[in-house]
Amino acid sequence: FAPQKRWKETMPLVKIFAKTMMSKAVPLPALQARMCDIWGTQPSTTKLMLFRCDDWTGESFDEDVYVDVRAKATPDRTRDVVVAGMKEIQKAFSDFNLVANVRLETYDGNAYFHVPPT
């Protein structure tokens, strides 16, 4: 698995949800560095956002964080490539003692719009 060759042009948006009462740290700069290593991107194009919430509905998973990734669909981003990348994300969180439930959604690039601040 070498996603840095396949995902180099764009980095997915990574939203991290954690319960407000969770005592474990979520080290965004360190996780951002790991995401850059996984996807072969630079920090300037790698956006991680942490959202704290009071609670979420129970599932069969006992995760510390819910990681929601949104990425552009491309022909080389096959299911196998995407799932392998998701496992690398999960391992990155595990290395910081965080159990991550990772979800990734792809989108059609022609339907994507962005207006950054000027």
Side-chain angles (χ1 to χ4, degrees), residues 70-92:
R70 191 161 188 277
K72 182 179 178 183
T74 61
D76 60 329
R77 292 180 185 165
T78 64
R79 179 172 181 78
D80 290 342
V81 169
V82 170
V83 170
M86 292 170 70
K87 288 178 181 178
E88 289 293 317
I89 291 171
Q90 203 168 45
K91 183 179 179 331

Side-chain angles (χ1 to χ4, degrees), residues 34-55:
R34 292 292 300 276
M35 295 297 141
C36 288
D37 288 344
I38 291 168
W39 304 116
T41 58
Q42 299 298 315
S44 61
T45 60
T46 307
K47 180 77 100 177
L48 276 69
M49 294 185 285
L50 175 62
F51 298 91
R52 295 284 183 172
C53 56
D54 292 330
D55 205 359

Side-chain angles (χ1 to χ4, degrees), residues 46-114:
T46 307
K47 180 77 100 177
L48 276 69
M49 294 185 285
L50 175 62
F51 298 91
R52 295 284 183 172
C53 56
D54 292 330
D55 205 359
W56 53 58
T57 57
E59 295 181 20
S60 59
F61 311 108
D62 189 24
E63 71 261 36
D64 294 316
V65 293
Y66 183 86
V67 182
D68 184 22
V69 182
R70 191 161 188 277
K72 182 179 178 183
T74 61
D76 60 329
R77 292 180 185 165
T78 64
R79 179 172 181 78
D80 290 342
V81 169
V82 170
V83 170
M86 292 170 70
K87 288 178 181 178
E88 289 293 317
I89 291 171
Q90 203 168 45
K91 183 179 179 331
F93 279 85
S94 178
D95 290 346
F96 291 101
N97 196 33
L98 293 165
V99 176
N101 186 358
V102 181
R103 163 191 188 277
L104 191 144
E105 174 185 348
T106 58
Y107 66 89
D108 176 2
N110 292 328
Y112 174 78
F113 307 95
H114 177 222

